[in-house]
C-alpha cells in the first residue's frame, strides 16, 4: 500500500520512546508524499495515503490456506462477532478481513463455534498431540488448560487431539501439553535467528523459566525469540537494539490456483504452459496449460491432449476454453507474446517410437507408422481370388486400357492402413510418351494419383512390380515438371489401378499378365521390447520394431515346447515353469541339454509363443535354436491379468554375459488377436509380415498426419497448417523477443520460421553461418529449452544454442540479427559442476543482460566429484553477463547463487521479472533470488518449501526431483508473481513397484508472490566484483600433455585443460571451487592456447586481491602455481584480464569506495555504495 509519510511519522511518534526506532519510515520524506509498504503495516498504523487500507487478497477456498486452517467468510465472521456478548466480543478476531476474495484463513478449531466456513461446512480439526505437530515457532498447548484460562473464544472448540497450536511466546509449563516448552534456537546475534525472531541473552530469557529457554548454553550466549517480545519490552536484545520490523526482508506467499482431478494432468513435454496478458481487467491475464488426459490408465491408446485456457484473477484460475490437439503427445510452443500457439508432431528415435505414442510421431511420406503385424492365409490366391486380375499387354490398345483392380476392391485398398500384399509378374520400362495415362494408389501418401502425359518430356518410367520410379532426362524441363509432379529418381510404393494409352501404342516395354493386391489384417498396439545388458543398461539394436530396414515375411507356427520336454502350456515356450524375472539359461546350456526343437518345426518361420511361464529371453533362445526367422510374442489368451487388469506391458530380454549384446532375430510383442490365434491353433500356418511397410490402424480412428506445423489463432479459434514438408520435429521454441520460431527437424537441422503473420504463412528460413551449424538433438526430460534468444542493448539480436550435441555442456553464441545469416561470436564450456553432464535450464533475463545456468544433477547425473569441496554437484545457479556479447569473448561469470538443497532435488527451472527471479527447486520448494547490485546480489532472499515438500524419505531420494516445484512462469501483469507447476509422489505406491502412473501426479499449479522486499533496507550495499582474466600459453593447441591421464585426443583436450587450470588456480590461491570458474579453452592466434577464467567473491581475499596474488606467483619461480597441474606449462604462460566497459558500475555508486582488503582502486574489491535505486528501477 502507499503509506503516507506524515501518518507514518505520527504513528511512530505515538509509540513509546523505546519502540520508536523499531518502527521506521525509511525513505520519508518523499516528493510524492508516500512510500510503498506491506499492507499489514497499514492495518496497524492506519496511515494509508488516502486514509484507507487496501484489502488483503484473502481466500475463497480451504485449499488456499495452510493444512491446519480453513477459509472463513469475512461477512459471517463479523456477524458472529456482533452476536457475542460484549464481555467476550473483544476476544474474537476476524484477522485478515475484509479481503479481496471475501475470506481469510483461520485455525480450524474456531470454525465449529462461528460456523463461518466459505465452503459451508467446517473441515475436521485435528489439533496436536506433540510440539512437532505444530509449525516452527509454535508449541502444542493443552486445550483444557487454554479453555480454563482464556475460554473457548480464545482457544476454539475442542479438537480431536488433546492440544492446539499457539505461538511459542505464550508457552508456560502449565500451558504446554507435556509440561515443557520447546527450546528456542541458540544464537550469537540476530542473523542466527529466522525471520521474525531476534536474539536475546539466555539470562534474559530464563527470567520466564528454563522450560521456555532450555538449559544454559555452552557455545552461544543467546536464544531466539519472536521479535514482538523485544518490541514489547519483555526481553532485551543481545546487542541493545531490536531488529527493525521494516527491515525489507522478502516473504513468499504461496497459494494453489489450479488443481486437476481424475485422469487429466499437466503434460510434461517441454513447454507445457504459457502466460498471456489481457482480460476484462488490466490486472487479469490468461494462463495456458497443455494437459494430458490418460482416461483409462490401463492403456495409452485412448489418451488425448488439449490446451486449457484459464483466466487468472483475484479468484484464481478459471477455465474459459479447451483447445483439442491433434494427437495424444505433441510438441507445443506457447509464445509469451500471445494470441498464437504452435503444434507439431514429435520426431523421436527409433528406439523411443515403440515406448511412446508412436502414432503422434508418424508422418505421411515416411515408412508405415504406427507399425503392426500383418497376417493372412499363406495362399491368398486360393483363399481370395477376387483380389487378382489377369490381362494381356495387348489390352493396352483397348479404350479402357488395363484394369489391375476390380472396382469393388478400390475402397479396401484406399482405406488399408496395415499392409497391401502385392503379387504380380507385371513390369514395365520405357519413355513416357504423349497419351499415356497411369492411375495408382500411393502407399506413402495414402492417396490416388493419376499421371497424364500431355507433353513428351522424355522422362523414363520404371515399374518393378512394387514401386514406380521416374528418371528425368538430362537437360530440358526441370525434374519436377518432367516427372509430372512425382519425386525424381525415387521409388514410390504404389498399387496399380489402371494404365492406358489413347493412341493404343506406347514406348513402354511391358511384360507379365497377372496382378494381385490384398489388404491384410494387422495387429496394432504393439508392446515395447527392451534388451538389457548383463550390467542392466538398455541395449539398442537394428532389429527392433522401428529399426528394421526390410520386411520379415514368413509363415508362422505356434511353438510346442512339449517336443523338447518343456513344462506347462506348450505354447509358453518354456523348458520349466519359473518366475519370469529369474535369469534364463544360456544358449550353451540349452544346447548341451538337448533343448533344440526338431528341424522343420519353426525353421524359417515366425516362432509364436505366449506370455508367461518363464522369461522372454528363454522363449527367444528356444526359437533361435530352432532356426526361426523371428519371434512373435503374444499375450496368453487364458491369462486374465494380461488381458484385462494390467497396463500395457513390456517384454524384457536380459543377457547374462557382457559378450552378448544384441539379438540375432527380431522379437515382436503383440497383444492377443483372436483371428490369428485361431489360425495358429488350427495349424493353418498363416503368413506373417513385420517391417517398415507394415502398418496398423491408429487408435480412436485418428488419421495419419502430413507433418509440419499447425497454428492456433486464439482470436478466431481456428487452426491453420503450414510447412508440411518439415515432417515431425525434434523440438520447437518461439523467441521471447521477436516473431521467430526456432525448430529442429528430424534430421537434426536448425531452421527458423517467420511468425509475423502465422495465420497466413510461415516462411522457412534456412540459416547460413560463418561456421557449420551444429546438429540439434532433443534435450533430456527435465531440460525444456534448446535456445535462448536475446535482444541486446546494442540493437542486435543474439541466439544461444544450448548443448547442441546432446552432451558436453557447451553453449554456442551466434549473432542472428539477420536470421538468414548467423555469425558465431563465442563458445562457452559450462564444466563447473561436471565436464559433460547435468546441464539444466539456460535462461536469459528479459532485458538481455544476464544469462542464468542451472544444473539437473540430483542422484542420476554428474557422477564423480568435479568440485574440490564436499558439496553435491548442481546446487548452484551461475549468473553470466551478456552485456559484451559482441566482444567475441565467452560471456563472463558475474557470480554464483548458492542454494541449500536436499539430496535428490534439482534446480528444475527459473524465471525472472526484472532482476528478481524465482527458482523451482523440486522437493525443496521455491527460492527467490536477487540479481541486482546491492547487499543481496546473487543471493536467496526468500525460500518456501512447506507446500512443495511431500513425504519422501532419504531411501527413495531419487524421486525428489520428480516432486514439488517444477516449471516456473512469470506473471505478465503482476510484479514479482509467478506460476509454478507442482508434481507429487506417493511413496507408498512407489514402494510397491507399480507403474509411475500410480505414484506420480502432475496435477496442480501454484501462484507464488514475492512480497515485502526492499533492496535498500536489507543491509549495507556491498559486493565483491568478479575479476575476468585469461591465461595465454605459448604452446600449440593440443600439444600439452598432462601428468594425470596422459595424452588425450583433441575432442577431449579442451575439457582436460579447463579442468587442470581450475584445479591449479584453486590450489595456488587456496580457494574453493566456488570462487574460480573456467569458461573456455581454445586455440589462440598463431600456435598459442588461451583459457578464460573468472575469480568470484567469497570468504577470504577479494577477487581483485586474488588476481594480484596470482600475478605475483607467476613472477616468482617456485611459488604454488609452479607446483600444481600446470607446473610444466607455467613458464610459458601469460596472465591478463578482460575489461568490459559496459559492465563498469556507475561512478555515483562507487564514490568513496575502497577495496575490502585495503588496496583501494583498480576497480576491484568490495564497495560501499549510497545506491540511489529502489527495487528494480535505477535513475
Amino acid at each position: 500500500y502507499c503509506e503516507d509519510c506524515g501518518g507514518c511519522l505520527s504513528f511512530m511518534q505515538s509509540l513509546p520512546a523505546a519502540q520508536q526506532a523499531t518502527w521506521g519510515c525509511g525513505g520519508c520524506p518523499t516528493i510524492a508524499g508516500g512510500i510503498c509498504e506491506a499492507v499489514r503495516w497499514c492495518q496497524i498504523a492506519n496511515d494509508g495515503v488516502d486514509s484507507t487500507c487496501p484489502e488483503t487478497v484473502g481466500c475463497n477456498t480451504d485449499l488456499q490456506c495452510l493444512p491446519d486452517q480453513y477459509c472463513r467468510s469475512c461477512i459471517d465472521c463479523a456477524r458472529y462477532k456482533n452476536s457475542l456478548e460484549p464481555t467476550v466480543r473483544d476476544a474474537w478476531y476476524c484477522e485478515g478481513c475484509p479481503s479481496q476474495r471475501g475470506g481469510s484463513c483461520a485455525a480450524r478449531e474456531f470454525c465449529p463455534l462461528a460456523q463461518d466456513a466459505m465452503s459451508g461446512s467446517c473441515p475436521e480439526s485435528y489439533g496436536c498431540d506433540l510440539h512437532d505437530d505444530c509449525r516452527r515457532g509454535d508449541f502444542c498447548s493443552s486445550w483444557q488448560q487454554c479453555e480454563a484460562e482464556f475460554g473457548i473464544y480464545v482457544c476454539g472448540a475442542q479438537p480431536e487431539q488433546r492440544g492446539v497450536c499457539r505461538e511459542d511466546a505464550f508457552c508456560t509449563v502449565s500451558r504446554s501439553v507435556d509440561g515443557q516448552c520447546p527450546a528456542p534456537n541458540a544464537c550469537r546475534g540476530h542473523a542466527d535467528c529466522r525471520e521474525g525472531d531476534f536474539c536475546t541473552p539466555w539470562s534474559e530469557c530464563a527470567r520466564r523459566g528454563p522450560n521456555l529457554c532450555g538449559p544454559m548454553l555452552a557455545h552461544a550466549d543467546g536464544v531466539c525469540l519472536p521479535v514482538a517480545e523485544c518490541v514489547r519490552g519483555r526481553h532485551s536484545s543481545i546487542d541493545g537494539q531490536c531488529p527493525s520490523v521494516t527491515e525489507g526482508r522478502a516473504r513468499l506467499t504461496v497459494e494453489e490456483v489450479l488443481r486437476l482431478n481424475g485422469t487429466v494432468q499437466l503434460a510434461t513435454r517441454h513447454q507445457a504452459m504459457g502466460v498471456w496478458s489481457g482480460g476484462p481487467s488490466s490486472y487479469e491475464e490468461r494462463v495456458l496449460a497443455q494437459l494430458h488426459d490418460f482416461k483409462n490408465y490401463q492403456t495409452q491408446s485412448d489418451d488425448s491432449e488439449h490446451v486449457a485456457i484459464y483466466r487468472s484473477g483475484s479468484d484464481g484460475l478459471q477455465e474459459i476454453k479447451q483447445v483439442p490437439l491433434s494427437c495424444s503427445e505433441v510438441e507445443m510452443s506457447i509464445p509469451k507474446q500471445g494470441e498464437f500457439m504452435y503444434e507439431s508432431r514429435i520426431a523421436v528415435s527409433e528406439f523411443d517410437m515403440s515406448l511412446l505414442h508412436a502414432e503422434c510421431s508418424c508422418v505421411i511420406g515416411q515408412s508405415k507408422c504406427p507399425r503392426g503385424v500383418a497376417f493372412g492365409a499363406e495362399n491368398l490366391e486360393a483363399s481370395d481370388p477376387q483380389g487378382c486380375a489377369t490381362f494381356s499387354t495387348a489390352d493396352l490398345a483397348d479404350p479402357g486400357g488395363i484394369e489391375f483392380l476390380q472396382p469393388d476392391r478400390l475402397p479396401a485398398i484406399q482405406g488399408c492402413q496395415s499392409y497391401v500384399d502385392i503379387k504380380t509378374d507385371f513390369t514395365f520400362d520405357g519413355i513416357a510418351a504423349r497419351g499415356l495415362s497411369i492411375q495408382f494408389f500411393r502407399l506413402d501418401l495414402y492417396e490416388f494419383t493419376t499421371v497424364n502425359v500431355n507433353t513428351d518430356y522424355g522422362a523414363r518410367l520404371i515399374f518393378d512390380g512394387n514401386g514406380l520410379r521416374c528418371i528425368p532426362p538430362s537437360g530440358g524441363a526441370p525434374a519436377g515438371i518432367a516427372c509430372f509432379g512425382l519425386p525424381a529418381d525415387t521409388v514410390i510404393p504404389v498399387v496399380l489401378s489402371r494404365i492406358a494409352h489413347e493412341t493404343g501404342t506406347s514406348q513402354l516395354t511391358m511384360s507379365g499378365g497377372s496382378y494381385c493386391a490384398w489388404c491384410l489384417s494387422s495387429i496394432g498396439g504393439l508392446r515395447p521390447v527392451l534388451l538389457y545388458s548383463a550390467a542392466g543398461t538398455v541395449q539398442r539394436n537394428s532389429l527392433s520394431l522401428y529399426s528394421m530396414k526390410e520386411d520379415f515375411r514368413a509363415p508362422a507356427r505356434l511353438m510346442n515346447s512339449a517336443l523338447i520336454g518343456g513344462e506347462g502350456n506348450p505354447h509358453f515356450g518354456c523348458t520349466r515353469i519359473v518366475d519370469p524375472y529369474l535369469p534364463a539359461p544360456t544358449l550353451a546350456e540349452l544346447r548341451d541339454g538337448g533343448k533344440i526343437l526338431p528341424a522343420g518345426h519353426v525353421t524359417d518361420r515366425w516362432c509364436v509363443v505366449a506370455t508367461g511361464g518363464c522369461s522372454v529371453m528363454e522363449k527367444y533362445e528356444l526359437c533361435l535354436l530352432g532356426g526361426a526367422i523371428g519371434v512373435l510374442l503374444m499375450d496368453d489368451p487364458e491369462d486374465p491379468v494380461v488381458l484385462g487388469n494390467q497396463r500395457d506391458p513390456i517384454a524384457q530380454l536380459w543377457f547374462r554375459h557382457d559378450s552378448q549384446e544384441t539379438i540375432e532375430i527380431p522379437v515382436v510383442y503383440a497383444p492377443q488377436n483372436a483371428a490369428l490365434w485361431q489360425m495358429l491353433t488350427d495349424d493353418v500356418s498363416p503368413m506373417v509380415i513385420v517391417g517398415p511397410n507394415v502398418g496398423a490402424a491408429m487408435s480412436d480412428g485418428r488419421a495419419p498426419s502430413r507433418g509440419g506445423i499447425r497454428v492456433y489463432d486464439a482470436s478466431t479459434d481456428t487452426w491453420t497448417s503450414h510447412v508440411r514438408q518439415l515432417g515431425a520435429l525434434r523440438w520447437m521454441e518461439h523467441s521471447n523477443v521477436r516473431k521467430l520460431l526456432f525448430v529442429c527437424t528430424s534430421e537434426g537441422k536448425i531452421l527458423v520460421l517467420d511468425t509475423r503473420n502465422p495465420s497466413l504463412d510461415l516462411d522457412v528460413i534456412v540459416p547460413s553461418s560463418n561456421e557449420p551449424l551444429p546438429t540439434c538433438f532433443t534435450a533430456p526430460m527435465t531440460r525444456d529449452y534448446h535456445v535462448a534468444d536475446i535482444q541486446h542493448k546494442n540493437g542486435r539480436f543474439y541466439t544461444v544454442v544450448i548443448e547442441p550435441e546432446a552432451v558436453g555442456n557447451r553453449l554456442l553464441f551466434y549473432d542472428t540479427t539477420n536470421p538468414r545469416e548467423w555469425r558465431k561470436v563465442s563458445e562457452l564450456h559450462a564444466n563447473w559442476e561436471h565436464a559433460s553432464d547435468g546441464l539444466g535450464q539456460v535462461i536469459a533475463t528479459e532485458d538481455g543482460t544476464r544469462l542464468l545456468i542451472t544444473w539437473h544433477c540430483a542422484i542420476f547425473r554428474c557422477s564423480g566429484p568435479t568440485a574440490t569441496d564436499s558439496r553435491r554437484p548442481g546446487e548452484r545457479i551461475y549468473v553470466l553477463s551478456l552485456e559484451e556479447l559482441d566482444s567475441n569473448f565467452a560471456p563472463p561469470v558475474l557470480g554464483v547463487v548458492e542454494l541449500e538443497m536436499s539430496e535428490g532435488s534439482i534446480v528444475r527451472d527459473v524465471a525472472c521479472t526484472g532482476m528478481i527471479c524465482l527458482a523451482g527447486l523440486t522437493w525443496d520448494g521455491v527460492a527467490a533470488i536477487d540479481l541486482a547490485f546491492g547487499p543481496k546480489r546473487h543471493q536467496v532472499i526468500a525460500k518456501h518449501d512447506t507446500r512443495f515438500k511431500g513425504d519422501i524419505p532419504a531411501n527413495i531420494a531419487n524421486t525428489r526431483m520428480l516432486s514439488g516445484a517444477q516449471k516456473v512462469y512469470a506473471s505478465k501483469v503482476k510484479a514479482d508473481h509467478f506460476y509454478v507447476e507442482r508434481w507429487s509422489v506417493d511413496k507408498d505406491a512407489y514402494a510397491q513397484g507399480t507403474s509411475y502412473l500410480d505414484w506420480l501426479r502432475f496435477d496442480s499449479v501454484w501462484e507464488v508472490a514475492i512480497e515485502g522486499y526492499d533492496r535498500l533496507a536489507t543491509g549495507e550495499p556491498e559486493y565483491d566484483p568478479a575479476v575476468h582474466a585469461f591465461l595465454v600459453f605459448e604452446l600449440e593447441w593440443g600439444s600439452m600433455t598432462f601428468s594425470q591421464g596422459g595424452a588425450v585426443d583433441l575432442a577431449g583436450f579442451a575439457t582436460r585443460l579447463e579442468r587442470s587450470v581450475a584445479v591449479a588456480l584453486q590450489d595456488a590461491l587456496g580457494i574453493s571451487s566456488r570462487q574460480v570458474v573456467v569458461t573456455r579453452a581454445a586455440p589462440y592466434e598463431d600456435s598459442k592456447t588461451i583459457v578464460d577464467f573468472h575469480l568470484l567473491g567469497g570468504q577470504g581475499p577479494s577477487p581483485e586481491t586474488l588476481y594480484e596474488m596470482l600475478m605475483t606467483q607467476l613472477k616468482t619461480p617456485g611459488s604454488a602455481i609452479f607446483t600444481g597441474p600446470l607446473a610444466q606449462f607455467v613458464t610459458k604462460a601469460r596472465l591478463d584480464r578482460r575489461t568490459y566497459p559496459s559492465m563498469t558500475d556507475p561512478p555515483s555508486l562507487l564514490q568513496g569506495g575502497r577495496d575490502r582488503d585495503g588496496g583501494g582502486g583498480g576497480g576491484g574489491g568490495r564497495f560501499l555504495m549510497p545506491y540511489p535505486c529502489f527495487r528494480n528501477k535505477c535513475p
Side-chain angles (χ1 to χ4, degrees), residues 782 833-834 837-840 854-864 871-876 901-908 921-924 956-963:
T782 53
E833 301 294 303
H834 193 274
D837 192 20
L839 186 67
T854 76
W855 299 83
H856 293 169
C857 291
I859 296 174
F860 305 98
R861 306 176 66 188
C862 309
S863 58
R871 65 183 175 83
R872 285 183 294 265
E875 298 181 353
R876 303 200 281 174
M901 298 176 64
S902 307
E903 183 183 20
S905 293
I906 62 173
V907 189
R908 176 65 167 85
L921 308 182
T922 57
W923 191 69
D924 284 315
I956 58 169
N958 57 302
T959 65
R960 289 175 176 171
M961 65 180 289
L962 300 176
S963 69

Side-chain angles (χ1 to χ4, degrees), residues 141-151 155 172 174-176:
S141 171
S142 166
W143 181 87
Q144 289 185 343
Q145 176 63 30
C146 182
E147 192 274 336
E149 187 175 354
F150 300 107
C155 304
T172 64
S174 62
R175 294 172 184 169
S176 172

Side-chain angles (χ1 to χ4, degrees), residues 1-3 25-28 30 34-38 246 248 914-916 930 932-934 975-976 1012-1018 1021 1149 1170-1179:
Y1 79 112
C2 186
E3 181 180 30
C25 299
C28 287
T30 64
I35 58 174
C36 293
E37 259 298 355
T246 59
M915 285 291 170
I916 299 294
D930 191 354
F933 288 105
D976 300 339
Y1013 183 52
D1014 184 348
R1015 187 175 290 122
L1016 297 180
T1018 55
L1149 303 185
Y1171 197 69
C1173 303
F1174 182 74
R1175 288 188 177 270
N1176 302 321
K1177 299 179 177 65
C1178 286

Side-chain angles (χ1 to χ4, degrees), residues 824-884:
K824 185 178 178 182
V825 294
S826 63
E827 180 176 337
L828 182 146
H829 185 193
N831 62 350
W832 318 309
E833 301 294 303
H834 193 274
S836 59
D837 192 20
L839 186 67
Q841 309 285 43
V842 179
I843 308 293
T845 55
E846 292 177 320
D847 62 0
T849 62
R850 299 290 185 269
L851 193 71
L852 276 62
I853 300 178
T854 76
W855 299 83
H856 293 169
C857 291
I859 296 174
F860 305 98
R861 306 176 66 188
C862 309
S863 58
T866 295
T868 57
D869 48 25
S870 59
R871 65 183 175 83
R872 285 183 294 265
E875 298 181 353
R876 303 200 281 174
I877 298 176
Y878 289 77
V879 183
L880 281 65
S881 171
L882 299 176
E883 300 199 40
E884 295 292 337

Side-chain angles (χ1 to χ4, degrees), residues 756-795:
R756 286 177 293 182
N757 198 346
S759 292
L760 296 180
D761 187 32
L762 292 177
D763 182 26
V764 179
I765 300 172
V766 182
S768 60
S769 176
N770 58 331
E771 294 186 16
L773 290 177
T775 302
C776 50
F777 291 87
T778 302
M781 171 186 168
T782 53
R783 174 151 60 79
D784 303 272
Y785 308 117
H786 300 80
V787 294
D789 205 32
I790 300 158
Q791 184 174 11
H792 201 270
K793 63 182 182 182
N794 63 10

Side-chain angles (χ1 to χ4, degrees), residues 1024 1100-1102 1104-1105 1108 1153-1162 1164-1167:
D1024 276 338
S1102 69
E1104 181 69 22
T1105 302
E1108 296 297 333
R1154 289 184 59 81
D1155 186 287
R1156 174 164 58 92
D1157 304 309
R1166 177 167 291 183
F1167 292 91

Side-chain angles (χ1 to χ4, degrees), residues 366-430:
Q366 301 174 352
S367 59
K368 283 293 184 70
C369 181
R371 293 192 179 176
V373 175
F375 65 93
E378 188 172 5
N379 188 348
L380 288 170
E381 290 177 276
S383 61
D384 185 14
Q386 297 300 313
C388 296
T390 58
F391 51 85
S392 168
T393 55
D395 294 339
L396 184 65
D398 294 343
I402 301 174
E403 296 283 350
F404 297 95
L405 294 176
Q406 298 182 21
D408 59 345
R409 307 290 288 195
L410 291 177
I413 297 298
Q414 188 171 4
C416 187
Q417 293 188 29
S418 55
Y419 181 79
V420 177
D421 193 16
I422 299 173
K423 184 177 182 180
T424 183
D425 61 356
F426 177 69
T427 62
F428 63 74
D429 186 350

